[in-house]
Structures are given as structure tokens and as C-alpha cells.
Amino acid sequence: MADYKLMKGNEAMAEAAIQAGCDAYFGYPITPQSEVLEYLAREMPKYNRIVMQAESEVASINMVYGAAGAGFRAMTSSSSPGISLMQEGISYMAGAELPCLIVNVNRAGPGLGTIQPGQGDYFQSVKGGGHGDYKLIVLAPASVQEMADFVFLGFDLADKYRNPVLILSDGAIGQMMEKVQFHPYTRPLVDKSSWATTGKPKTRDRNYITSLFIQPERMEKHNLKLEEKFKRIRENEVRFEEYNTTDAEYLFVAYGLSARICQKAMDIVREKGIKIGLFRPITLYPYPYKRLEELATQVKMMLTVELNSGQMVEDVRLGVNGKVPVEFYGRMGGMMPTPEDIVHHLETLIQYHHAN
Amino acid sequence: MPTEEHVLPETALDVVTPACHEEEYEVVYHKPATMVDVHMHYCPGCAHSLVHKLIMEVVEDMDIQEKTIGIAPVGCSVFAYDYMDIDMQEAAHGRACAVATGIKRLMPEKYVFTYQGDGDLAAIGIAETLHAVNRGENFLIVFMNNAVYGMTSGQMAPTTLPGMHTTTSPDGRDVSYYGAPIKVAELLANLPGAVYVTRQAVNSANGVRRTKKALMNAFKYQQQYKGTCLVEIIGNCPSNWKMTPAEASRFIDEEMVKTFPLGDIKLPQPDNLKTV
């Protein structure tokens, strides 16, 4: 059994990248995730891997494009304003079907916003972000352990589907220290020789990486191919976690840091005798609509808690489809609700719905 | 369906073929086998097709097809990978040098080149280009300078000559409003990371020969020297210059070279040599 280590979320993620066989990391400093570049700048050369501080996030993501296009495991990380700058490159990578790992340690926005944690990048992460029809596989860690675990999972999913994977974390998970364990990892064998640009031997046709299909007939064919892939992802990669849902009459729905706060709120509410559960989506794309639809036949009300003005709640409502009330509670600007805030809000809502 | 009169009569073929015995002739020129045998989309008199061929001739002459990876830009040469029979990556507009960095850093033993126009390199991609050269990225930048945005049909570029008429500078480029044309080669040669910088033109037979030599040097230097090679090529763009191909060739000699003088700007020095 591997030993536990006490690490920051950002450092655990960086260490996981090394252990997952990441060949190259390209990044640009931005709070609250600069530790990733710092950690890798120190550690990657020891393994003869490439680490580079680029001139911008725009350059970072395009360096990732080049490395991934040559068949290597490549990643970048940033925080919200930097991720906005990467959207062009992410769209190109999705279009060119290049696997890579991107980590967003979400801070509160819009604009320069603040360096404190937020979840305001939900829509950007799961609904597109860049131009054109594409989807990212989006993983939402709620602990330092998951910051590490999802790096391995993220790289594997990226290779499996030839699609960028985004880890949507936040400033609190990135900065806080928790115990973390690194499990032995075997990298799945993936044959990239049919598309990676490694130099054309006489024995095969040239490989080229592109997202350009200028004839509309060919472009639509490519779009349909991508859609088929996203359908497979929706069918096979939905991940979530449930707490106390067996007897639940009420349900918290929250991801990442919000789910951590809701866990504590759930314990307080349970002690008061109210049967409440917690549903935590782990994949934000593909989203666990189906399970929420099932839970909607069991509970009286759902309360979605987010560090934004109400973004994921729209997906919860899509899943629940009007069967039960779906309420929202959130803080913004880098402010975080206490478990007691959430409990108070829940009790008010229960009274309101009981009276009506 | 073609009517009968459009069909080439058999006799026409007879006239050509029986008399043509290949062994009686010395083959003095052939298209490089490293080119894909398709029709190009370029306009008559355009420099791109010629420079594509020169690069692929160098790749063939050096026998490095298996070791060469190119990066196509956004611009007229966006389809370069349709013509060059090597592994290639299509970059987002201006990002070719960042993409090339990602490739070359992971495969330092390969030959890597970007192929970029003036809008791609000198406008939207100037940051990626300048920083790549400053890091001394060990690849070749082939910089096609025709002083206009070709693909979008003739808008003003950062390299448009003073007073030159384009669709977005209909009264001629006003340098008091838009600044002077950027001399990319001179600018980048100032950086210690640049090891070989030259400017050539392909509007004459001698120019074509010199350009091929420059490209050959740059490919060789990639293995011999640390640093970035930049070959700027003044490209003919008759369509957007609203000229005939012959007029465009004269325009380079008479006007373009005043702003963009031809010749070597920086040559590799002994201390640039790689130590293996």
C-alpha cells in the first residue's frame, strides 16, 4: 500500500502528471495555480520530460497542440482568465481530435475578477467555450485525492476518445492541503501511428493534423463523426457519487468544492431528522441527467448549491424535467457559503414548499 | 458529356507518343517525389506553389522525408499539407511557431519548419514568432512576405508598403495612421536566438536558385547549429496586386526591395555550433 502524502491540490495534480507519464507540460503563471508550473519546472527535468513556461496561455495551448499532434501526452493548466485565452486552441484541438489534458483551477470572474475560488466557468467548460460544435470531457474533483486521480483518468479518456479532457477544479481545492495517495498506474497502450505526425516513412501515407474541411459536405461529415463520438462518451463515461440517497426525501446537488460544503450541511440536517441526500456529479460532461431523473421520482425537492449565479442548476432542471422543484443557492465573487448558510436556506425552502 | 469535337482525336496522341523515346533524352528536371501529384489551388504567377516545390526539393535532395514535419498556417497556404508529401500539422492563425515548439521540443532529432505568411506571422502571430526565436527554437521559419492578406483577398498587411493600395487601404497605406511596414527579418535577426536570417525573392531564375540554396542551408543548419533559422521570401501576388505575373515580378525588383532589401542578414557563427 502506497504511503499517504500531505500535498496541495495543485502539487498533487502536478505529481500525478509525472506519474501518469505526461511527456510535456506547457503553462503560464496565474494565481491560484502557479504551483503546477513551479512544481513541474523543478521535477520534470529529472525525468527528461519537457516543461516550458510559455509567453502566454495562447502559446501554451498551441504548444500542447503540437506535442499532442506528434503523439505525446501533453497538458496545460491555468485559471479562469487564462482558460478563456485558450478557448481558440481548445476548439482547434477538439476539431482536429487531439488528446490532451487541461486543468482549470477556477477563480471568480468575470474579467480579472478575483483570485479567490469560484465555479463561474461551468457553462464555458461544459457547453462549448470555444467556437463550433464540440464537447470536452469535464471532470470535477472535490478533494486533493481526486486532483491526482483525475489526471490519470483524464489522460486515459483523452487518449481513448482522441478528445481534450478538462479538469474543472477551483482555487480552494487547488490551494488546500490534504492527504493524498498515489496508486500504481499502468498506462493503457494506445496506437497513435495512424495519425500522429512523427515523420512519414515510405511505408505509409502522410499524416496530417487539421480541423479544416472547407467543403461543406466533408465538414458536415466530420461534424457527424464528432457527434457520434460525443454520443459514445455520453453512453459510457457518466460518473457521479451519491451520499444518503437511499431514504432521501430532499437532495443537495453540487459538484467540486460546493459538494464538500454540502456534505457538512447534509450531516447537520440529518442530525435534525430531515432525510436529505447529496448527489455529486463527477463528470460535468457527460452529465448524469438520467440518474437525476430517477431521483426526481423519489425526493420532494432538490437544492443545487454552486459558487456562481446558477449555472449547473440548468442541467439539474433538464434532468428533473419539472417533476420536482429544483432550487438554487449560491455565492459569488470568491465568497463561500458556510454549511450553516446552506442549512438555513434549505429549511426556509422546505417550509415554503410545505406551505404551498 | 463532351461532344465529339471535344474528344482528342487518336491521331493527336499518335503524333506525340511514338516519336518520344525517353531514353533518347537526358532528364534535366523533374518534380520532386516529395510533392503530392495534384493540381494546386494557387493563382497563376503566385509564389507559393514555387516555394512549396523548392522546400520539397530540399527535402528530397537531403533525403529527410521521414524526418520532416511541417506546420501549415492560416492564409493562402493553409492547404500546404495537400501538396507536400510529409507529415504536417495545421496551426491556428498565427500560432505556427508555438505548435512547432511543441513538436520540436519533443522530437529534437526531426526537421521541423513552419510556413507562414505576413498576416499570420507578423500580425496575429508576432508574439508566438518573436518568443520562439528568442528561445532559439531549433526549427526553420519560412516566411512568405507578399505585403497583403492573400486568402481574404488583398487587405493591408503589417508588411504593406507605404502608399500601397489594398482593399483596406484604398487610398494607399498611410504610415502616419498605420505605421511603417514591419521588417520582420531585421527585427528577428536582433535576437540572439536567431542563427540564420536571410531574405530572398523568387521572381527570377537566379532568385529561385538563391532561395533554394537558402532553404537548403536552413535545413542543414537545423542539425548543425543551435537556434532558429528564418528564410523570408518576397512572394509574388499578382491577383491581389492587380497585376499580370510579369508586372508582379517587376514590382518586386522596382518597389518591394526598396523596403525589403534582399540578401543575408545574419549568418551562423562558430559559437552557435551544437556541441554533441
Side-chain angles (χ1 to χ4, degrees):
Chain A
M1 205 66 181
D3 290 335
Y4 281 106
K5 285 180 179 169
L6 187 66
M7 290 182 101
K8 267 190 173 189
N10 288 336
E11 290 174 344
M13 182 233 293
E15 176 58 31
I18 292 171
Q19 296 195 20
C22 175
D23 297 301
Y25 172 92
F26 303 97
Y28 185 84
I30 184 172
T31 309
Q33 65 78 58
S34 298
E35 296 86 359
V36 185
L37 176 58
E38 289 168 351
Y39 189 94
L40 292 174
R42 193 175 69 231
E43 299 296 326
M44 285 282 262
K46 295 178 188 169
Y47 301 87
N48 283 323
R49 316 262 186 91
I50 297 298
V51 58
M52 178 166 285
Q53 178 171 335
E55 62 271 25
S56 68
E57 290 88 348
V58 175
S60 302
I61 192 72
N62 282 285
M63 290 173 186
V64 170
Y65 181 106
F72 293 91
R73 270 203 164 168
M75 76 176 282
T76 184
S77 65
S78 187
S79 181
S80 309
I83 296 290
S84 290
L85 279 172
M86 291 184 191
Q87 292 304 322
E88 173 199 53
I90 294 172
S91 167
Y92 275 71
M93 291 193 80
E97 294 195 83
L98 292 180
C100 75
L101 184 64
I102 304 149
V103 184
N104 181 2
V105 183
N106 198 162
R107 64 191 235 187
L112 207 46
T114 169
I115 57 172
Q116 304 299 327
Q119 294 183 321
D121 299 352
Y122 180 88
F123 283 149
Q124 183 199 56
S125 308
V126 307
K127 304 294 182 189
H131 60 283
D133 279 309
Y134 74 92
K135 290 285 188 281
L136 306 176
I137 298 171
V138 183
L139 304 168
S143 63
V144 172
Q145 182 65 54
E146 284 187 341
M147 282 290 267
D149 292 347
F150 290 178
V151 170
F152 299 91
L153 175 64
F155 270 126
D156 289 352
L157 289 174
D159 279 344
K160 184 177 175 185
Y161 292 100
R162 274 188 70 182
N163 203 69
V165 171
L166 176 78
I167 295 179
L168 182 59
S169 180
D170 65 69
I173 307 272
Q175 290 295 329
M176 71 187 187
M177 291 185 93
E178 283 186 322
K179 63 177 185 179
V180 57
Q181 200 178 23
F182 291 92
H183 306 285
Y185 167 73
T186 314
R187 182 171 165 176
L189 282 175
V190 180
D191 182 12
K192 301 180 177 180
S193 63
S194 66
W195 57 266
T197 59
T198 50
K200 174 202 170 317
K202 303 245 182 310
T203 48
R204 69 156 164 82
D205 286 339
R206 67 193 189 284
N207 286 341
Y208 56 88
I209 305 293
T210 188
S211 59
L212 173 70
F213 303 91
I214 202 121
Q215 293 91 350
E217 294 83 1
R218 281 191 64 197
M219 186 67 225
E220 190 185 47
K221 225 174 145 183
H222 182 63
N223 285 134
L224 290 169
K225 182 187 166 204
L226 292 178
E227 287 307 310
E228 191 276 327
K229 176 166 80 177
F230 301 138
K231 184 166 170 273
R232 272 190 291 130
I233 290 170
R234 286 195 299 273
E235 284 167 358
N236 296 309
E237 304 302 342
V238 172
R239 288 168 169 79
F240 54 83
E241 205 165 50
E242 295 181 24
Y243 311 83
N244 294 334
T245 49
T246 322
D247 65 343
E249 293 176 358
Y250 298 96
L251 193 67
F252 285 129
V253 187
Y255 74 93
L257 179 64
S258 300
R260 289 289 288 271
I261 306 172
C262 282
Q263 223 169 337
K264 180 72 184 163
M266 176 178 70
D267 294 343
I268 298 171
V269 177
R270 279 258 164 192
E271 272 183 29
K272 295 184 179 191
I274 301 170
K275 289 177 180 167
I276 186 151
L278 167 62
F279 184 81
R280 176 171 81 92
I282 290 172
T283 50
L284 301 181
Y285 186 91
Y287 197 77
Y289 293 112
K290 213 173 176 181
R291 182 59 188 144
L292 276 172
E293 193 184 358
E294 289 163 10
L295 286 165
T297 62
Q298 174 192 327
V299 301
K300 294 176 186 165
M301 180 191 72
M302 294 187 193
L303 174 59
T304 305
V305 179
E306 300 175 65
L307 303 182
N308 58 38
S309 64
Q311 299 191 16
M312 184 184 75
V313 65
E314 294 192 5
D315 280 324
V316 179
R317 286 180 180 141
L318 275 176
V320 168
N321 202 13
K323 288 195 180 75
V324 290
V326 176
E327 299 288 356
F328 171 75
Y329 181 64
R331 295 291 299 269
M332 291 180 285
M335 297 298 289
M336 271 177 277
T338 63
E340 290 75 16
D341 290 339
I342 296 170
V343 171
H344 175 74
H345 198 75
L346 177 81
E347 286 175 335
T348 313
L349 285 166
I350 289 174
Q351 276 171 18
Y352 170 81
H353 283 291
H354 188 70
N356 293 279
Chain B
M1 288 294 285
T3 57
E4 204 165 316
E5 57 190 324
H6 290 123
V7 178
L8 198 63
E10 268 181 42
T11 47
L13 289 168
D14 292 343
V15 173
V16 184
T17 43
C20 188
H21 299 295
E22 235 179 57
E23 62 273 17
E24 291 174 16
Y25 294 86
E26 185 194 352
V27 178
V28 293
Y29 181 81
H30 66 89
K31 202 164 110 173
T34 43
M35 291 289 282
V36 181
D37 194 16
V38 290
H39 288 287
M40 287 185 169
H41 72 282
Y42 296 117
C43 307
C46 170
H48 280 305
S49 45
L50 181 49
V51 176
H52 283 13
K53 194 180 64 184
L54 293 180
I55 296 171
M56 286 302 102
E57 280 180 3
V58 170
V59 167
E60 183 178 59
D61 294 351
M62 288 176 65
D63 194 20
I64 54 170
Q65 187 180 18
E66 287 190 32
K67 295 184 201 157
T68 304
I69 293 121
I71 293 100
V74 170
C76 276
S77 47
V78 69
F79 292 117
Y81 53 79
D82 280 345
Y83 310 130
M84 302 184 188
D85 194 16
I86 52 169
D87 281 1
M88 289 194 80
Q89 292 196 21
E90 168 60 46
H93 196 25
R95 317 298 176 220
C97 282
V99 172
T101 299
I103 297 171
K104 182 76 185 201
R105 288 278 174 158
L106 283 141
M107 300 190 295
E109 74 286 1
K110 307 282 179 180
Y111 294 85
V112 175
F113 71 92
T114 71
Y115 187 100
Q116 300 177 259
D118 40 61
D120 192 82
L121 184 147
I124 196 164
I126 192 79
E128 286 77 9
T129 308
L130 191 137
H131 282 278
V133 177
N134 193 51
R135 289 190 301 265
E137 294 295 343
N138 194 213
F139 51 72
L140 161 65
I141 301 168
V142 179
F143 172 43
M144 296 297 293
N145 177 5
N146 58 18
V148 284
Y149 281 77
M151 190 195 218
T152 46
S153 65
Q155 293 81 13
M156 181 177 59
T159 48
T160 297
L161 303 181
M164 190 173 172
H165 294 258
T166 71
T167 57
T168 51
S169 57
D171 300 323
R173 179 183 184 133
D174 178 357
V175 294
S176 72
Y177 195 84
Y178 279 115
I182 296 179
K183 299 182 180 188
V184 170
E186 287 83 350
L187 178 76
L188 296 178
N190 282 318
L191 301 173
V195 70
Y196 174 56
V197 180
T198 187
R199 185 184 285 119
Q200 304 294 337
V202 287
N203 61 331
S204 67
N206 278 337
V208 170
R209 272 194 288 274
R210 278 193 293 266
T211 303
K212 185 178 171 183
K213 181 76 187 148
L215 290 166
M216 177 77 89
N217 286 342
F219 269 94
K220 286 181 176 163
Y221 293 163
Q222 233 182 99
Q223 295 303 69
Q224 293 166 6
Y225 295 100
K226 295 172 283 189
T228 313
C229 295
L230 176 86
V231 177
E232 176 174 338
I233 299 164
I234 304 300
N236 321 26
C237 186
S239 293
N240 287 309
W241 293 352
K242 314 281 184 244
M243 294 176 189
T244 65
E247 286 167 348
S249 284
R250 279 198 296 280
F251 180 74
I252 290 175
D253 285 336
E254 289 163 11
E255 296 300 330
M256 292 283 278
V257 297
K258 287 183 195 164
T259 304
F260 303 113
L262 305 183
D264 292 335
I265 294 159
K266 193 175 190 181
L267 293 170
Q269 302 302 313
D271 61 352
N272 301 134
L273 276 168
K274 282 184 182 174
T275 47
V276 185

